[in-house]
Amino acid sequence: MHPSKKVMIVTGGSRGIGAAVARLASRRGYAVCVNYHRRRDAADDVVRAIQADGGHAIAMGADVSDEAQVVQLFERVDRELGRIDALVNNAGVLETQMRVEDMDAARITRILHTNVVGPLLCCREAVRRMSPRHGGQGGAIVNVSSVAARLGSPGEYVDYAASKGALDTLTIGLSKEVAADGIRVNSVRPGTIYTEMHASGGEPGRVDRLASAIPLQRGGTVDEVAGAVMWFFSDEAGYTTGSFIEVSGGK
């Protein structure tokens, strides 16, 4: 327990954007729960890097699409880190590039469970701890969406894009629902970022292929996304809720 530190949970924190957010949050004084699904080794690496930098972090496994595992995750954070102040809903999945006419229900359901049901469950648990009616002192939530919500990802993953559209609507609705509780809810929409996720879609070199079509003529970095995420937790963002930052190179 570190009573002097604010507590943050980063879902999908073992690599990519989540890992970058966890590292930056630690440098900003947060005790961080690095949540992972399967990549325990990668999550442990993030924790070790944070500890080597003088910060405090723990790795916790949980599949955010599973309600019981989400509840256990938050209860363990209560015990080991203390009451949560900040939540980053970063865990997300996509599957191989495919047209809608070729998708089956199992694929679509997998996407929606992790990318929509998961963040909703994590928001529920966070609000139950942050809201004054539950003994909390407010807090902030950032949902990591995607410009796919705006662009639709035709010919690649419309299902993923649709899930991020749902996440954007969650951001708007929840921000209004819990504003009076002192809880701010915002979203960052990354564009084409250098992460391992593109390999999940079947095209590891996707960023370089698309770079010339991006106004800034390059892909983005995970640290650039993490900076935007962490701004929403800063004092400067105190009057900002239900809002979106695009980190997409102008696309």
Side-chain angles (χ1 to χ4, degrees), residues 133-158:
R133 76 168 63 89
H134 296 289
Q137 298 179 314
I141 297 170
V142 173
N143 295 320
V144 179
S145 178
S146 170
V147 292
R150 209 165 33 71
L151 301 175
S153 300
E156 294 188 320
Y157 17 73
V158 170

Side-chain angles (χ1 to χ4, degrees), residues 45-186:
D45 287 344
V46 175
V47 168
R48 276 193 291 270
I50 287 172
Q51 290 170 340
D53 212 19
H56 183 60
I58 53 176
M60 291 189 186
D63 177 354
V64 297
S65 71
D66 182 306
E67 183 173 23
Q69 291 187 48
V70 169
V71 171
Q72 289 169 355
L73 170 69
F74 277 78
E75 289 177 345
R76 191 176 159 202
V77 169
D78 291 338
R79 292 192 304 271
E80 298 187 28
L81 293 179
R83 186 182 285 270
I84 182 177
D85 300 283
L87 167 66
V88 179
N89 278 311
N90 170 72
V93 295
L94 54 73
E95 301 210 7
T96 309
Q97 294 172 357
M98 184 181 291
R99 292 172 63 89
V100 170
E101 66 212 60
D102 298 319
M103 293 177 186
D104 61 20
R107 168 191 162 120
I108 296 165
T109 301
R110 284 193 298 272
I111 297 278
L112 295 178
H113 269 165
T114 298
N115 297 5
V116 182
V117 177
L120 268 163
L121 292 172
C122 290
C123 284
R124 181 192 76 189
E125 293 301 308
V127 170
R128 286 178 177 177
R129 287 157 175 81
M130 294 174 177
S131 172
R133 76 168 63 89
H134 296 289
Q137 298 179 314
I141 297 170
V142 173
N143 295 320
V144 179
S145 178
S146 170
V147 292
R150 209 165 33 71
L151 301 175
S153 300
E156 294 188 320
Y157 17 73
V158 170
D159 51 354
Y160 171 82
S163 76
K164 294 301 190 177
L167 189 60
D168 285 357
T169 302
L170 162 61
T171 300
I172 295 165
L174 185 63
S175 71
K176 294 175 181 176
E177 184 169 292
V178 298
D181 296 321
I183 303 170
R184 297 182 301 103
V185 185
N186 292 288

